[in-house]
Amino acid sequence: MKNPFPAEVLGVRSVTKPGSAKETVHVDLSLEGSGLEYVTGDALGVFPCNDPELVDALLEALQLNGEAEVSLPDGSQGSLREALITAYDITNLKKSVLLKWNQAARSAELDAVLADKEALKDFAWGRDLLDLAQDDKTCARFLNEEAFASALPKLTPRLYSIASSPAAVPGAVSLCVGAVRYNSLGRGRKGVCSTYLADRIKPGDKVRVFVHSNKGFRLPEDGATPIIMVGPGTGIAPFRAFWQQRVIDGASGPMWLFFGNPYKATDACYEDELEPLVESGALKLSIAWSRDQEHKIYVQHLMRDAGAEIWQWLEKGAAVYMCGDANRMAKDVEQALLEIISTHGGRSAEEAVAYLAEMKAAKRYQKDVY
């Protein structure tokens, strides 16, 4: 992480179709000459760059010179504009940032926000430094460019589940990234790293990366072990690596993927890879298109519907993997699993919890949630 590798961009392509509300891109990066190695199930750390348009608007609003030399987090010097693009966080309004900002702004409005934890949480959501700079009530006037740069935290890397098996793409690594875009306070907002990857990198560019080991998310050592994979949206990423690895290993164990996204017409992912696996019988595929009917259908609903068969897989020693949103999906899927164990396994609620805990201890229940 301290010395990220400048990985060459090999390609960026859309996985979903135009018009998708879940716009997803596939990114291929070269690791040639890096010495970096990863295992199926690991994550890749990516150091993003801020949107240059956002940086230029911020410099204009603060009336600062983008060419002025400032200190960088690593102790070197560089232009303020380049520092704001590559090194400093300008979108996350943490309390520590607002406190430093308000030393220059002396804003009564910010004083009130900083004094109330809930107000601070509400205020920070959907805002960035440009919002503060463009509002007369919160605008700051820094002594100079160095004073501004010194008030900012470092731009931190983002972790993405690796969407490739190293055996399938030697010397390279793949990511499956959902582009985050939304509107707030009358302005369009962009996820810092997701739109950096989706919009602004092109083949030949360099992206700073490192490998993050994820030892708690590994395929079974025995290739005969059945696996059940639950990954709606970009949660499919590590499972692409899983099915690639199992095919290369000639693993005999069956695979079952539960995938979900809003619409079949625009939001299918990796159809060209999944269809042959399904046709050959190597993979069972259950897809929840949540918005293709009046009532919403999610992966946990499909799991409940297939509860009897899932229980048979569990009794045959299947390992269950889950990847995606920790706040809602993971909890809903786990509850569905507990209900399946209870209903089809004849267990009480307490016994179902114990059964799942035993699976976890045996590394038959693993989660990669965020």
Side-chain angles (χ1 to χ4, degrees):
M1 180 173 168
K2 289 183 179 178
N3 297 295
F5 175 71
E8 181 178 348
V9 178
L10 299 175
V12 182
R13 61 181 172 87
S14 293
V15 177
T16 49
K17 294 179 176 65
S20 170
K22 290 283 187 177
E23 177 192 349
T24 305
V25 297
H26 178 91
V27 181
D28 290 314
L29 302 169
S30 173
L31 296 181
E32 289 290 344
S34 68
L36 294 177
E37 296 181 354
Y38 66 95
V39 177
T40 298
D42 280 345
L44 193 74
V46 177
F47 282 88
C49 288
N50 284 309
D51 185 348
E53 290 184 5
L54 176 62
V55 168
D56 290 339
L58 182 58
L59 287 170
E60 182 180 353
L62 293 174
Q63 298 176 20
L64 294 173
N65 178 8
E67 299 308 310
E69 291 277 300
V70 298
S71 301
L72 297 173
D74 64 3
S76 65
Q77 296 279 307
S79 74
L80 176 59
R81 184 175 188 273
E82 194 60 28
L84 296 181
I85 291 173
T86 64
Y88 288 115
D89 187 344
I90 59 173
T91 60
N92 192 352
L93 299 189
K94 294 180 181 178
K95 185 175 183 179
S96 58
V97 175
L98 287 175
L99 285 168
K100 290 179 180 178
W101 179 279
N102 207 28
Q103 288 174 4
R106 298 186 179 182
S107 162
E109 183 170 325
L110 288 181
D111 284 337
V113 166
L114 287 163
D116 185 325
K117 189 176 180 181
E118 284 304 310
L120 174 60
K121 185 178 177 182
D122 291 341
F123 181 84
W125 193 92
R127 275 187 171 87
D128 57 27
L129 291 185
L130 181 58
D131 293 300
L132 301 185
Q134 290 181 332
D135 187 335
D136 291 339
K137 295 178 182 178
T138 57
C139 187
R141 287 289 172 251
F142 292 90
L143 290 174
N144 51 42
E145 286 76 12
E146 180 66 39
F148 175 50
S150 66
L152 301 175
K154 289 192 296 185
L155 189 56
T156 56
R158 274 58 166 174
L159 292 178
Y160 291 97
S161 303
I162 291 175
S164 59
S165 155
V169 286
V173 65
S174 303
L175 300 177
C176 177
V177 179
V180 175
R181 307 181 199 276
Y182 62 100
N183 287 292
S184 176
L185 304 174
R187 266 180 54 213
R189 313 286 166 155
K190 301 176 182 179
V192 174
C193 196
S194 66
T195 57
Y196 164 61
L197 296 172
D199 297 348
R200 299 198 302 279
I201 62 170
K202 58 186 183 301
D205 287 350
K206 300 292 176 69
V207 174
R208 296 171 296 159
V209 304
F210 61 93
V211 171
H212 177 80
S213 177
N214 189 4
K215 294 180 180 177
F217 204 71
R218 293 285 187 257
L219 280 167
E221 291 182 12
D222 184 355
T225 303
I227 61 172
I228 297 172
M229 305 168 286
V230 185
T234 54
I236 196 173
F239 301 133
R240 180 176 185 264
F242 276 24
W243 76 62
Q244 285 183 344
Q245 190 68 50
R246 295 272 282 205
V247 169
I248 287 169
D249 289 344
S252 61
M255 299 183 286
W256 192 347
L257 173 64
F258 285 87
F259 174 69
N261 246 350
Y263 299 102
K264 183 177 182 180
T266 54
D267 305 324
C269 293
Y270 300 114
E271 286 177 297
D272 57 333
E273 297 180 37
L274 289 169
E275 286 177 4
L277 290 171
V278 172
E279 288 171 4
S280 71
L283 177 77
K284 183 178 176 69
L285 180 60
S286 297
I287 304 180
W289 301 116
S290 61
R291 305 296 197 276
D292 268 348
Q293 57 287 310
E294 195 171 324
H295 60 288
K296 294 174 183 176
I297 297 176
Y298 297 115
V299 287
Q300 62 267 23
H301 300 134
L302 299 189
M303 291 175 68
R304 286 192 182 93
D305 291 344
E309 189 174 358
I310 288 176
W311 173 249
Q312 291 174 4
W313 280 51
L314 294 181
E315 284 293 271
K316 291 176 183 175
V320 177
Y321 299 88
M322 184 199 312
C323 181
D325 172 48
N327 293 323
R328 297 181 62 181
M329 182 280 296
K331 293 175 183 176
D332 292 339
V333 167
E334 185 159 305
Q335 184 56 41
L337 266 177
L338 289 170
E339 290 176 19
I340 288 166
I341 294 165
S342 181
T343 301
H344 300 281
R347 269 45 172 199
S348 67
E350 293 77 12
E351 288 168 340
V353 169
Y355 186 99
L356 201 58
E358 287 173 10
M359 284 184 61
K360 188 174 183 179
K363 297 182 179 179
R364 288 180 52 215
Y365 178 46
Q366 299 181 32
K367 296 183 283 187
D368 179 12
V369 295
Y370 38 83

